[in-house]
């Protein structure tokens, strides 16, 4: 039986609403924020008022009662215009709020989720470390139990949404013990912003995503209540694997949006830019580039929606999420390169959206699992040991 990826009326209405918001509100303003490396607080506040940060969460916690498909649709539409805005939402939902929803106690959910769902505060997920990227099992940050508190020491790097004026918490993975075989026992702990000893470094100077917030974090004898443990002690590694599996669907939707945005901008440019007395779109070489770009974006869309549908159905989705993330991120890079080529010299000018898309695309092959990690996961699902 064929898989039906046509949208319900509710999902289509949401998609159209966000499409209009992206073009009418984000597009005219985001270029200045991007070039000035400024976080777009007013746009983020508006997204909060629209309920976008609460899309996949139940209404009892301040959410919209939607699902992961709805989140993916929103991320795709945002990224068609700008990826900094899209990654702010993706990280705030998938990495900031979702761990609390999936693994938090009822008290933790009621304390944190309503404010994250409304966009009043942002959450972040502190996983990556300076000496520990893809090898998350090599975590060096430690958390030691001292009475009714955890004492945390260590550092994290490349953490999105961690240093804004509205960041409320960072969920940190830390070694809390050792297993019988000597491997680290990793747990997840909520660290509220402003906790003494918790230092947020200045924002990175990045190649792309320049209107989003990314920082290095350090923890020096940071004390938080023992009740801030998220989920079971020693289960942090398994927890973040689940969070990353879901997050790959979201990143795939974002990458698809960037790839489609490259098509949108290039089609418009090819119809208006004239050379040798005619629009450059009259040249078959340009038409074929555009056809290939549209094919890639369409296929990526099918891939992330398939993974999302499996997640919503309660079926295994690890392989499909890895496939979607791998394919969509790599074709986003390809489409961005081709869009720049079609625009010629103008594609190298920051005033054109494709210049941002080109700069933003590469990180999609790295963040939330590199392309190499995705291939490893797919091979495992095919029955090969790594």
């Amino acid at each position: 039986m064929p898989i039906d990826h046509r949208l319900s009326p509710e999902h289509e209405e949401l998609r159209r609403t966000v499409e209009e918001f992206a073009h009418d509100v984000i597009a005219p303003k985001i270029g200045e924020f991007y070039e000035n490396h400024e976080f777009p607080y007013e746009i983020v506040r508006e997204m909060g008022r629209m309920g976008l940060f609460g899309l996949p969460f139940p209404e009892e916690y301040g959410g919209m009662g939607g699902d992961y498909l709805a989140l993916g649709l929103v991320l795709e539409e945002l990224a068609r215009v700008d990826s900094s805005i899209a990654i702010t939402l993706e990280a705030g939902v998938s990495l900031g709020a979702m761990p609390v929803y999936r693994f938090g106690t009822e008290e933790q959910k009621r304390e944190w989720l309503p404010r994250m769902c409304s966009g009043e505060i942002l959450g972040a997920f502190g996983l990556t470390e300076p000496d520990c990227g893809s090898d998350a099992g090599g975590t060096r940050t430690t958390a030691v139990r001292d009475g009714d508190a955890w004492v945390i020491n260590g550092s994290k790097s490349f953490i999105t949404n961690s240093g804004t004026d509205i960041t409320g918490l960072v969920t940190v993975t830390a070694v809390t013990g050792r297993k019988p075989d000597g491997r680290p026992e990793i747990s997840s702990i909520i660290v509220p912003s402003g906790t003494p000893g918790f230092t947020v470094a200045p924002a990175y100077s990045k190649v792309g995503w320049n209107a989003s917030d990314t920082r290095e974090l350090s923890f020096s004898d940071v004390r938080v209540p023992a009740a801030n443990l998220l989920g079971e002690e020693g289960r942090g590694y398994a927890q973040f694997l689940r969070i990353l599996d879901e997050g790959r669907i979201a990143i795939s939707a974002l990458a698809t949006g960037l790839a489609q945005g490259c098509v949108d901008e290039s089609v418009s440019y090819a119809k208006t830019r004239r050379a040798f007395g005619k629009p450059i779109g009259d040249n078959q070489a340009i038409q074929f580039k555009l056809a290939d770009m549209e094919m890639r974006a369409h296929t990526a869309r099918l891939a992330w929606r398939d993974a999302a549908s499996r997640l919503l159905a309660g079926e295994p989705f690890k392989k499909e999420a890895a496939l979607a993330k791998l394919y969509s991120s790599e074709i986003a890079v390809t489409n961005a390169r081709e869009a720049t080529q079609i625009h010629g010299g103008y594609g190298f000018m920051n005033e054109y959206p494709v210049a941002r898309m080109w700069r933003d695309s590469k990180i999609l092959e790295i963040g939330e699992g590199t392309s190499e990690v995705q291939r490893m996961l797919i091979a495992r699902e095919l029955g090969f040991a790594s």
Side-chain angles (χ1 to χ4, degrees), residues 54-120:
L55 269 175
F57 302 111
E59 294 179 7
E60 64 180 301
Y61 300 120
M64 298 292 288
D67 54 31
Y68 227 85
L69 175 60
L71 175 63
L73 293 171
V74 168
L75 290 172
E76 182 177 334
E77 291 302 325
L78 293 176
R80 285 177 71 172
V81 170
D82 180 72
S83 291
S84 292
I85 294 293
I87 195 58
T88 298
L89 178 65
E90 191 277 335
V93 175
S94 296
L95 301 179
M98 192 60 73
V100 176
Y101 174 64
R102 292 286 187 210
F103 311 114
T105 64
E106 189 64 24
E107 291 76 15
Q108 288 170 338
K109 293 177 185 178
R110 296 199 178 279
E111 178 180 2
W112 296 110
L113 284 179
R115 287 186 288 164
M116 286 194 280
C117 287
S118 69
E120 176 188 344

Side-chain angles (χ1 to χ4, degrees), residues 118-146:
S118 69
E120 176 188 344
I121 64 171
L122 295 175
F125 191 62
L127 171 64
T128 303
E129 299 188 359
D131 295 322
C132 169
S134 297
D135 179 20
T139 298
R140 295 185 179 181
T141 296
T142 62
V144 177
R145 186 70 179 266
D146 182 18

Side-chain angles (χ1 to χ4, degrees), residues 363-379:
I363 188 60
L364 297 171
E365 295 181 311
I366 299 171
E368 296 204 32
T370 63
S371 293
E372 291 76 16
V373 166
Q374 305 314 310
R375 289 183 166 89
M376 179 182 70
L377 293 172
I378 295 165

Side-chain angles (χ1 to χ4, degrees), residues 88-305:
T88 298
L89 178 65
E90 191 277 335
V93 175
S94 296
L95 301 179
M98 192 60 73
V100 176
Y101 174 64
R102 292 286 187 210
F103 311 114
T105 64
E106 189 64 24
E107 291 76 15
Q108 288 170 338
K109 293 177 185 178
R110 296 199 178 279
E111 178 180 2
W112 296 110
L113 284 179
R115 287 186 288 164
M116 286 194 280
C117 287
S118 69
E120 176 188 344
I121 64 171
L122 295 175
F125 191 62
L127 171 64
T128 303
E129 299 188 359
D131 295 322
C132 169
S134 297
D135 179 20
T139 298
R140 295 185 179 181
T141 296
T142 62
V144 177
R145 186 70 179 266
D146 182 18
D148 291 333
W150 290 104
V151 181
I152 304 171
N153 284 280
S155 61
K156 301 291 179 177
S157 55
F158 313 130
I159 310 303
T160 305
N161 290 346
S162 59
T164 74
D165 293 345
I166 57 174
T167 299
L169 75 150
V170 178
T171 299
V172 177
T173 54
V175 176
T176 53
R178 292 284 169 179
K179 298 180 180 180
D181 61 4
R183 290 183 300 162
E185 186 179 77
I186 297 174
S187 303
S188 300
I189 301 172
I190 296 173
V191 180
S193 297
T195 302
F198 174 23
T199 304
V200 180
Y204 288 106
S205 175
K206 298 175 292 187
V207 171
W209 285 359
N210 286 334
S212 71
D213 179 79
T214 316
R215 314 256 182 162
E216 184 169 346
L217 313 177
S218 64
F219 306 86
S220 179
D221 291 331
V222 173
R223 298 180 68 91
V224 298
N228 283 23
L229 179 71
L230 187 64
E232 298 178 32
E233 184 175 344
R235 294 287 297 167
Y237 191 85
Q239 290 170 10
F240 80 70
L241 287 179
R242 170 60 190 256
I243 292 299
L244 290 182
D245 283 341
E246 295 182 4
R248 285 169 186 140
I249 300 175
I251 289 293
S252 179
L254 190 159
T256 301
L258 187 150
Q260 188 65 59
C262 290
V263 178
D264 299 340
E265 294 295 330
S266 298
V267 167
S268 177
Y269 185 82
K271 289 179 177 179
T272 56
R273 170 65 167 160
R274 299 180 67 85
F276 303 102
K278 62 180 181 180
I280 64 171
D282 286 356
N283 296 306
Q284 192 176 68
I286 299 296
Q287 295 172 8
F288 280 11
K289 279 185 182 293
L290 292 168
D292 286 344
M293 291 167 66
E294 176 72 7
M295 173 189 66
R296 297 184 196 105
H298 178 77
T299 305
R301 183 173 300 110
L302 294 177
W304 82 253
R305 289 190 185 181

